[in-house]
Amino acid sequence: MDFNWKRHRAASIDRQSGQHLSLGRRGESYVAGRFRAAGFCLLSKNGRQYAGVEHDLIVRKERRYYFVEVKTRSTHIEEATSKLLAWRQYQRLRCAAELYCNEHLDLIDEFAILLAYVHATNDGFRLQLFRLEGPQEAILIDFEQL
């Protein structure tokens, strides 16, 4: 019986992408839960309504709105944070956030783009939040600063 290497390779790629997607979704759910526990209202999760840009989370606390990009990795967070966002991805997120805010001007006092890095371990998740000032400019923050 001949072994079909192409089929085997495709199957392992599918399994890998399925695991990656599962890890990413678990990370997003973890971050959403942390925001809810800190008193934020979750407005949207995995949406694509503004400028065709997918966003992971939109959360609100009072009249402050946050657009959250979640990156879940099983590698060390220190390694992951050295690669924040590509310029194009940051610009698209910023554009989507501005379009959203323009449609809801009467509700919003301020908005920011946050990057949530989630490090997945066998013991659970570790979260670091960054307020993005540009694609490679980020300030490490915690929930109390929002």
Side-chain angles (χ1 to χ4, degrees), residues 57 90 99:
L57 303 171
Y90 173 78
L99 285 171

Side-chain angles (χ1 to χ4, degrees), residues 39-109:
F40 288 80
C41 177
L42 178 63
L43 301 175
S44 179
K45 185 176 176 186
N46 295 317
R48 187 183 283 272
Q49 60 259 45
Y50 297 96
V53 176
E54 180 185 329
H55 58 269
D56 293 334
L57 303 171
I58 300 176
V59 297
R60 170 182 66 82
K61 191 167 194 178
E62 297 166 2
R63 294 177 57 91
R64 295 183 312 269
Y65 285 65
Y66 300 95
F67 299 80
V68 185
E69 177 69 16
V70 179
K71 300 287 186 189
T72 306
R73 302 288 184 265
S74 56
T75 58
H76 294 292
I77 276 187
E78 292 75 21
E79 294 170 18
T81 55
S82 66
K83 307 170 194 147
L84 292 175
L85 289 180
W87 174 254
R88 187 174 185 167
Q89 184 179 14
Y90 173 78
Q91 287 298 96
R92 292 179 68 192
L93 284 169
R94 180 114 190 139
C95 177
E98 288 173 355
L99 285 171
Y100 182 93
C101 292
N102 286 337
E103 289 183 12
H104 302 88
L105 280 175
D106 54 331
L107 303 174
I108 299 173
D109 285 340

Side-chain angles (χ1 to χ4, degrees), residues 115-132:
L115 182 62
Y117 262 112
V118 181
H119 178 209
T121 68
N122 292 335
D123 299 328
F125 293 107
R126 181 176 151 215
L127 172 66
Q128 285 188 321
L129 275 179
F130 296 88
R131 183 181 184 120
L132 294 180

